[in-house]
Amino acid sequence: MLNTYWKQFKSGTDIRGVASEGVAGQEVNLTDEAIEKMAAGFVLWLSQAVEKEPSALTIAVGHDSRISAQRIQDAVTRVLVGAGVRVLDCGLASTPSMFMTTIDLACDGSVQITASHHPFNRNGLKFFTKNGGLDGPDIEQILLFAQEGQTPPAGEGHVEAVNYMADYAKRLREMIQKGVNAADYEHPLKGFHIVVDAGNGAGGFYASDVLAPLGADVTGSQFLEPDGMFPNHIPNPENEEAMQSICKAVLDAKADMGVIFDTDVDRGGAVDARGEEINRNRLVAIASAIALEGNPGGTIVTDSITSSGLKEYIEGTLGGVHHRFKRGYKNVINEALRLNQEGVNCPLAIETSGHAAMRENYFLDDGAYLVTKIIIQMARLRAEGKTLDSMLESLKEPVETAELRFPILKEDFRSYGESVIAGVSAYAKTHAWNVAPDNREGIRVSFGKDKGDGWFLLRLSVHDPIMPLNIESDTVGGTKLIAEQLNDFLMECQWLGHEVMDNFLAQ
């Protein structure tokens, strides 16, 4: 079992911690000593997983733009070299590209130094083998090795600098050339104006190394330079300020399309020529339409908070099957893998957060790959006299949405959260509520037109002592009406913080 100190670093399928000073009340815990022990743990885990001695391993190491990146990379590299590992130093890199080093460069494993969209002072480690990202139990084993101070035998490794991002960008360019198949094959995006917002993360390469060489006009692109303080906005397609920024950039540039990435480019979002977001349910809808080409009747795995309109779109308009699963990108990916192993045709696993993993791309959640597929679709549609937004004409979108996040005030938050969900389930039965039969996380309840004309989903956060409540309604005022009905039960839950509900109902 992990003790309290080492357990704090486990964040689902990643390792994360405070790596830099600068935020009051947050002391650095991702120290050089802790990182070195974690890196040693990964060498031991990987050596067992691939059945090779540590001195026979090749491991790629890369990082996003965070200010603590070089310090952490140095600490990781010291341990790997000291264990006899051949280290490929990829420098500034996207998380998806680090997975691809296990495919294209035949690395036994890779380490990406990133904390995704989290604040500048945080950082972490993400690990890959050719089978994909590690799962939660693998991370726990690595941390157990670290906790016990286990280290690999001493060896004499070495470091080789590689520019793998150039190969990764070339692959994306070739995808567009082949997918669009324009008369000017080398410049299939000539005549297109596409704005890129990298949020000062690792995604600036997409404008300079993917789009521009293919003939696209990328003027108006913003925040392409890496800056780990993220001075302009949070690099996160789910962040409202970030999305408003890219929408404005598209309109200001009179561009055909805008794309935005999170810090390490494993998530992406898009904006159409009208400055309208292609994000969340709209992004899932377009990705589903693309994935189901050539996969008639295929199954799309999504997270649990997708809209009722999206289900109608996937099943009614596209003729697919919507498999609503759990939050957490590894959860949806693992579910898609499971379904395919059982013989179900499942070409896509996608979260509304922007994590999208396609079967044709190793079920890797890759924001640049997804955006590339959307750009190919945009070019094909233009050749038919259509636009991206025409794909979404039949997507029914809610009139109102809300998300409330209730803090759990009890130390054993997971057990308490599960008891709240069980309590709501029992309450739903006694009040004849319509509980969704296909929900696989928390409890999802639908209401008729006279009681809110929508639904709520109450669940337990994947990592934190939080119970998120998502509400959607097709009627003005419907979200409050639904919230009021649920609140009659939640008021009796003494270990839930009720301020968020009070504020919502008081609006």
Side-chain angles (χ1 to χ4, degrees):
M1 291 285 291
L2 291 174
N3 61 32
T4 303
Y5 175 78
W6 289 102
K7 191 175 182 179
Q8 69 178 322
F9 297 114
K10 185 176 183 295
S11 179
T13 55
D14 300 345
I15 286 173
R16 287 182 185 159
V18 179
S20 303
E21 296 179 349
V23 177
Q26 296 189 21
E27 295 184 5
V28 172
N29 58 12
L30 209 56
T31 62
D32 283 7
E33 180 182 5
I35 294 160
E36 288 171 357
K37 289 182 177 181
M38 293 168 185
F42 177 58
V43 172
L44 291 171
W45 179 91
L46 183 62
S47 177
Q48 293 177 3
V50 301
E51 299 180 339
K52 285 185 180 181
E53 291 298 317
S55 59
L57 296 174
T58 297
I59 299 176
V61 183
H63 60 80
D64 68 19
S65 62
R66 293 171 183 279
I67 60 174
S68 55
Q70 193 60 57
R71 174 181 72 85
I72 295 175
Q73 177 152 345
D74 290 346
V76 170
T77 302
R78 279 196 300 273
V79 171
L80 301 187
V81 170
V85 174
R86 174 185 176 229
V87 179
L88 302 187
D89 179 357
C90 296
L92 182 70
S94 71
T95 291
S97 75
M98 293 308 298
F99 163 75
M100 290 302 299
T101 62
T102 69
I103 304 297
D104 291 345
L105 303 183
C107 293
D108 298 292
S110 65
V111 183
Q112 171 72 341
I113 299 161
T114 182
S116 187
H117 61 280
H118 286 262
F120 77 92
N121 67 317
R122 298 184 66 80
N123 214 330
L125 304 172
K126 192 172 182 66
F127 306 101
F128 294 99
T129 69
K130 66 180 180 180
N131 296 320
L134 272 58
D135 282 313
D138 304 319
I139 299 299
E140 186 162 349
Q141 183 58 61
I142 289 169
L143 290 173
L144 277 171
F145 283 138
Q147 177 178 294
E148 295 165 1
Q150 294 191 44
T151 58
E156 295 184 10
H158 66 281
V159 181
E160 301 172 22
V162 297
N163 183 17
Y164 179 70
M165 283 300 292
D167 297 336
Y168 178 77
K170 179 183 178 184
R171 174 174 176 250
L172 295 176
R173 291 197 306 270
E174 291 175 345
M175 272 180 62
I176 295 173
Q177 288 171 330
K178 183 178 179 181
V180 177
N181 196 26
D184 184 352
Y185 190 83
E186 296 298 316
H187 305 98
L189 298 182
K190 190 174 183 179
F192 286 92
H193 189 171
I194 304 173
V195 170
V196 177
D197 184 330
N200 300 112
F205 79 96
Y206 197 79
S208 59
D209 299 345
V210 178
L211 300 181
L214 297 180
D217 178 356
V218 295
T219 57
S221 293
Q222 57 187 17
F223 318 138
L224 304 181
E225 291 299 316
D227 185 335
M229 292 301 291
F230 312 125
N232 295 291
H233 62 66
I234 297 170
N236 181 4
E238 281 194 293
N239 178 263
E240 184 177 351
E241 180 188 0
M243 289 308 298
Q244 287 177 351
S245 182
I246 181 62
C247 288
K248 182 178 184 299
V250 168
L251 292 174
D252 288 348
K254 296 181 173 59
D256 299 301
M257 181 181 176
V259 299
I260 183 170
F261 300 114
D262 72 345
T263 318
D264 61 327
V265 203
D266 63 356
R267 288 187 295 138
V271 175
D272 66 25
R274 302 172 303 164
E276 296 289 328
E277 296 181 17
I278 302 174
N279 209 16
R280 300 180 68 83
N281 285 294
R282 289 167 59 83
L283 184 68
V284 176
I286 281 188
S288 299
I290 292 169
L292 288 172
E293 291 181 3
N295 290 291
T299 294
I300 306 297
V301 177
T302 75
D303 60 334
S304 57
I305 65 170
T306 47
S307 72
S308 301
L310 179 67
K311 186 177 185 67
E312 293 174 15
Y313 179 82
I314 290 173
E315 299 190 344
T317 301
L318 302 180
V321 176
H322 182 205
H323 185 90
R324 189 185 290 120
F325 198 57
K326 301 175 182 178
R327 288 283 277 177
Y329 70 94
K330 277 296 283 184
N331 286 330
V332 296
I333 290 172
N334 287 342
E335 181 69 355
L337 288 168
R338 183 188 71 81
L339 289 172
N340 277 288
Q341 288 168 359
E342 292 182 356
V344 176
N345 178 14
C346 176
L348 174 67
I350 184 167
E351 263 202 313
T352 49
S353 65
H355 282 286
M358 304 189 79
R359 182 175 57 199
E360 67 183 49
N361 189 41
Y362 308 95
F363 273 119
L364 172 66
D365 52 320
D366 185 342
Y369 191 93
L370 175 64
V371 163
T372 296
K373 296 289 286 189
I374 294 173
I375 288 172
I376 292 169
Q377 191 75 6
M378 176 184 67
R380 288 174 174 173
L381 286 168
R382 177 179 285 189
E384 300 172 8
K386 300 177 182 178
T387 59
L388 274 176
D389 55 283
S390 67
M391 294 180 65
L392 300 175
E393 289 174 351
S394 62
L395 175 65
K396 182 181 177 183
E397 300 194 66
V399 173
E400 291 185 344
T401 62
E403 180 175 275
L404 310 181
R405 297 175 67 82
F406 296 89
I408 300 177
L409 308 176
K410 200 172 180 63
E411 185 174 349
D412 186 5
F413 68 87
R414 189 159 297 281
S415 294
Y416 184 73
E418 290 169 352
S419 72
V420 170
I421 291 169
V424 175
S425 298
Y427 190 82
K429 288 181 181 178
T430 61
H431 287 72
W433 285 357
N434 183 21
V435 178
D438 65 338
N439 193 59
R440 298 172 177 87
E441 180 177 40
I443 179 168
R444 184 177 178 122
V445 177
S446 299
F447 296 88
K449 290 184 180 297
D450 60 332
K451 292 189 176 181
D453 198 13
W455 54 266
F456 76 73
L457 171 70
L458 182 69
R459 61 184 177 86
L460 186 59
S461 171
V462 177
H463 309 305
D464 303 316
I466 296 289
M467 295 201 77
L469 171 67
N470 292 89
I471 313 175
E472 178 181 295
S473 174
D474 293 326
T475 302
V476 174
T479 54
K480 275 192 180 180
L481 182 55
I482 292 171
E484 287 169 351
Q485 294 170 83
L486 178 60
N487 194 42
D488 289 341
F489 171 83
L490 295 183
M491 286 175 63
E492 304 301 319
C493 301
Q494 61 175 326
W495 297 108
L496 278 188
H498 291 280
E499 186 177 357
V500 287
M501 180 67 88
D502 294 340
N503 292 339
F504 178 68
L505 295 178
Q507 291 176 2

